[in-house]
Amino acid sequence: MAQKPSIPKGTRDFTPSEVIKRNYIFDIVKKHFQTFGFQPIETPSFENSDTLMGKYGDEGDRLIFKILNSGPFLRNIDKSFVKKIQCQESEISEFINFLKNEEDPKMLKEDAIIDIQKSELKSEIYNLLKESDYNLNSDHFIIGRNQILTKFQQKILANSSKLVSASISEKALRYDLTVPFARYVVMHQNEIDFPFKRYQIQPVWRADRPQKGRFREFYQCDADVVGSDSLLQEIELVQLYDAVFTELKLEGVNIKLNNRKILSGIAEVIGAQHLLIDFTVALDKLDKIGEEGVKKEMAERGLTPEAIAKVEPLFSLSGSNLDQLQALKELLKDSETGSKGVEELTFIVSTIEEMGLQSANLSIDVTLARGLNYYTGAIFEVAAPKGVKMGSIGGGGRYDDLTGIFGLKDVSGVGISFGLDRIYLVLEELGFFPESIDRSLQVLCLNFGDKEALVALKLVSALRKKGVKADVYPSKAKIQKQFKYANNRNVPYVILIGEKELEENSFVVKRMESGDQQTYALDAVGDFVADL
């Protein structure tokens, strides 16, 4: 029985038409990357696991595709690993028996802490006991003891799981292009001229739940500058966005701009530094749930009524970008960090306004809070033109220590990314792909038989040398079938060479759109090319 063909969930096949349209976007993005002085690099599709793990937070780590070690890896697991697991199993067994047999909760806590001094896991047990709140009441004591056992067993299990994972998988598929780029910079630092402007267009993989617009395999198009903290880089990246989207005819995209220092400054002046993430997550929902909804969520996340009252001016920011920045300057006058953020954005905005943009809009958006655990300065996000319902089609920001995770400290960088798949959907919805983009073939010679096909093949060779996309229908078939093929391929010109044309050393060109026909001499191919 034949196997039913399928592909993994979250992956896609692309038709010739889709590939051509995607390449159209790639080519424009790549052209402007190069025009702005960015150099191309590529990194492997998979990295060492320890390069990726721990760089994206717990949620990101869960979405990394791990690659099993090749060969009989289970037989080759290091003996020290087995010994450690056995040791942990023995210790937890002894500890459980100790807890079960000890009746006095006070003695339990004291004796257990003394007893575990010899244990490799003493810090784990000690911390659990130290944090425990024992009640001498027997019922509460039993509950508390069971809770400790459960937590301890969970910790042992998690630790064992990590050891197993490391033993059976040493590599993982690339989750994004940023961390591999940081690794690349550190490994090649002696070959790189700083500031280093790089672009990279490659696929990445995430073990996410597939849904509309979200895939497990997709391309990223990144441009970054490392080794410079100059704000001129931010200005250039805004111009780069503007240049690309203008050529793609996506006029009117909105490049939203914020600064992490401003968000930190606001949290500081309202007395909620410790709730920075909660504050910004709620603020980021302003356009979705409105002012009252944001206030309610801030309260639920622990902000005091006084702090929320101080935030209210953010809900009514209006006027030009510079007007809004002036209002923020007043709000953040007592925050050195916040004032610095306002100063940086003022420089970027005023410079852009002086130079002008081709078709994009630049706007301050103090609610913009993407990448808070990552970005340290400017934050970018690009929204599609008005009237198109689509999430962000680009984003990025400034990071002060990209390479620090690999030991190369104080290398500042800033970068942006283009959302290829969403840009594709927007262009498709608006009908902005060029009409002729699907024409992978300009000329098709019909096949009337062996003699005619040989002459047609010579003609096609001459056309190809002149850069014309041409082909011969491979076998003699009904003319109706060959014309249908030409229509399906969206071929604008069909060439007919029959017995009459052989005798007259000529060929007939039929324009498919109008149905008009014109005859050319076989030795006058140049005349036909000139008429294309």
Side-chain angles (χ1 to χ4, degrees):
M1 184 176 178
Q3 178 181 340
K4 184 178 179 180
S6 64
I7 58 174
K9 289 182 179 179
T11 63
R12 296 163 288 173
D13 287 326
F14 295 106
T15 66
S17 175
E18 290 170 330
V19 171
I20 289 170
K21 290 176 180 177
R22 287 166 64 85
N23 285 341
Y24 168 76
I25 301 172
F26 282 141
D27 290 344
I28 289 176
V29 172
K30 188 183 299 183
K31 182 182 81 173
H32 288 286
F33 280 167
Q34 294 171 351
T35 301
F36 276 71
F38 290 86
Q39 302 177 78
I41 69 164
E42 291 189 358
T43 58
S45 58
F46 55 92
E47 299 271 351
N48 291 327
S49 293
D50 56 6
T51 296
L52 302 179
M53 297 299 292
K55 310 302 190 301
Y56 308 102
D58 291 340
E59 183 178 351
D61 283 353
R62 287 195 294 270
L63 300 181
I64 292 174
F65 272 112
K66 298 175 181 65
I67 302 172
L68 289 179
N69 294 341
S70 56
F73 54 85
L74 288 175
R75 291 185 219 159
N76 300 328
I77 293 178
D78 190 90
K79 290 182 179 179
S80 62
F81 160 71
V82 176
K83 184 178 179 181
K84 191 164 187 176
I85 294 296
Q86 290 172 340
C87 175
Q88 290 182 352
E89 289 175 346
S90 174
E91 287 184 3
I92 193 171
S93 178
E94 290 178 12
F95 186 56
I96 289 171
N97 289 332
F98 174 81
L99 290 179
K100 285 180 178 178
N101 295 328
E102 179 56 67
E103 297 297 332
D104 181 355
K106 185 176 180 181
M107 288 298 295
L108 164 69
K109 193 165 186 177
E110 291 176 355
D111 290 354
I113 291 174
I114 294 171
D115 188 62
I116 63 175
Q117 296 304 312
K118 299 176 182 178
S119 168
E120 285 187 18
L121 300 170
K122 61 184 178 182
S123 61
E124 297 281 4
I125 304 171
Y126 179 78
N127 288 334
L128 287 172
L129 289 172
K130 187 178 178 183
E131 294 167 3
S132 302
D133 183 18
Y134 281 100
N135 189 312
L136 294 181
N137 178 284
S138 178
D139 291 339
H140 287 116
F141 163 61
I142 293 172
I143 293 171
R145 181 169 61 190
N146 290 340
Q147 288 174 341
I148 291 176
L149 284 173
T150 300
K151 287 182 180 179
F152 185 59
Q153 286 172 311
Q154 288 173 347
K155 283 181 176 288
I156 295 295
L157 183 62
N159 192 33
S160 300
S161 177
K162 288 180 182 178
L163 288 169
V164 171
S165 179
S167 299
I168 66 177
S169 174
E170 298 170 345
K171 297 174 285 293
L173 289 176
R174 183 174 52 215
Y175 176 88
D176 71 356
L177 300 181
T178 304
V179 170
F181 174 50
R183 189 265 311 149
Y184 176 94
V185 170
V186 175
M187 288 186 67
H188 298 270
Q189 58 185 288
N190 295 325
E191 308 157 29
I192 291 173
D193 295 315
F194 291 102
F196 180 48
K197 301 177 74 171
R198 90 72 163 93
Y199 77 83
Q200 195 170 352
I201 302 175
Q202 286 187 279
V204 298
W205 295 266
R206 296 182 185 178
D208 213 342
R209 189 177 74 175
Q211 52 187 290
K212 184 179 180 181
R214 181 174 293 177
F215 306 99
R216 288 178 169 175
E217 178 185 62
F218 56 96
Y219 268 79
Q220 288 191 338
C221 308
D222 288 8
D224 291 79
V225 186
V226 294
S228 171
D229 57 8
S230 169
L231 293 177
L232 292 180
Q233 309 298 347
E234 277 85 340
I235 292 166
E236 276 207 328
L237 292 175
V238 171
Q239 292 177 314
L240 175 57
Y241 268 141
D242 180 45
V244 169
F245 289 120
T246 298
E247 183 162 352
L248 287 171
K249 295 184 173 55
L250 284 180
E251 299 182 358
V253 300
N254 186 19
I255 304 172
K256 296 186 284 187
L257 189 62
N258 197 11
N259 194 298
R260 168 64 189 266
K261 296 183 181 75
I262 288 177
L263 294 169
S264 298
I266 294 170
E268 181 184 340
V269 298
I270 67 173
Q273 299 98 314
H274 61 298
L275 295 173
L276 173 62
I277 301 298
D278 294 285
F279 157 69
T280 50
V281 166
L283 185 63
D284 192 41
K285 297 179 181 179
L286 181 61
D287 60 338
K288 298 176 183 176
I289 61 176
E291 180 178 337
E292 293 306 315
V294 169
K295 289 179 180 178
K296 181 181 178 182
E297 181 157 339
M298 284 183 175
E300 292 171 350
R301 289 177 174 271
L303 271 75
T304 65
E306 293 77 16
I308 294 173
K310 291 180 181 178
V311 171
E312 286 191 3
L314 298 179
F315 302 138
S316 56
L317 282 178
S318 60
S320 69
N321 288 328
L322 293 177
D323 289 339
Q324 293 182 52
L325 287 169
Q326 183 60 39
L328 286 170
K329 182 178 180 181
E330 180 63 26
L331 177 67
L332 298 171
K333 61 185 179 182
D334 295 327
S335 168
E336 183 179 348
T337 300
S339 297
K340 179 65 175 174
V342 173
E343 180 185 327
E344 291 178 1
L345 284 197
T346 302
F347 176 78
I348 295 169
V349 169
S350 58
T351 305
I352 290 292
E353 288 191 358
E354 182 175 340
M355 298 185 66
L357 295 174
Q358 298 177 66
S359 68
N361 301 312
L362 182 67
S363 63
I364 297 298
D365 184 355
V366 75
T367 69
L368 181 59
R370 61 183 293 139
L372 273 184
N373 294 325
Y374 185 71
Y375 295 127
T376 55
I379 307 171
F380 303 99
E381 188 167 280
V382 184
K386 289 182 179 179
V388 180
K389 292 185 178 180
M390 182 63 64
S392 64
I393 57 176
R398 164 74 65 173
Y399 36 80
D400 280 340
D401 195 17
L402 172 72
T403 58
I405 52 178
F406 297 112
L408 184 59
K409 297 291 185 182
D410 302 322
V411 179
S412 184
V414 60
I416 59 173
S417 183
F418 288 84
L420 170 72
D421 293 294
R422 287 182 174 178
I423 293 172
Y424 181 102
L425 293 173
V426 172
L427 292 177
E428 191 88 300
E429 179 179 335
L430 296 175
F432 282 176
F433 282 112
E435 289 184 12
S436 61
I437 196 168
D438 280 343
R439 290 178 179 171
S440 56
L441 195 60
Q442 294 171 276
V443 175
L444 177 69
C445 285
L446 302 191
N447 190 327
F448 287 85
D450 293 341
K451 291 181 181 180
E452 294 87 346
L454 180 58
V455 175
L457 191 58
K458 291 178 180 178
L459 176 59
V460 162
S461 296
L463 289 171
R464 288 170 176 168
K465 288 176 182 177
K466 293 182 179 294
V468 178
K469 299 172 186 175
D471 203 0
V472 179
Y473 195 82
S475 58
K476 185 178 179 181
K478 291 182 180 180
I479 298 302
Q480 185 179 0
K481 181 179 180 180
Q482 297 187 52
F483 270 116
K484 183 179 179 181
Y485 177 81
N487 274 323
N488 291 342
R489 290 287 306 272
N490 197 24
V491 179
Y493 300 97
V494 168
I495 289 178
L496 301 91
I497 302 177
E499 289 184 10
K500 180 183 177 183
E501 287 72 33
L502 283 180
E503 292 174 2
E504 297 176 356
N505 288 320
S506 64
F507 62 95
V508 175
V509 176
K510 181 173 183 177
R511 288 169 171 77
M512 296 294 285
E513 186 174 342
S514 66
D516 295 339
Q517 294 188 177
Q518 187 171 349
T519 302
Y520 294 88
L522 280 171
D523 59 1
V525 175
D527 294 342
F528 167 56
V529 174
D531 291 340
L532 286 176

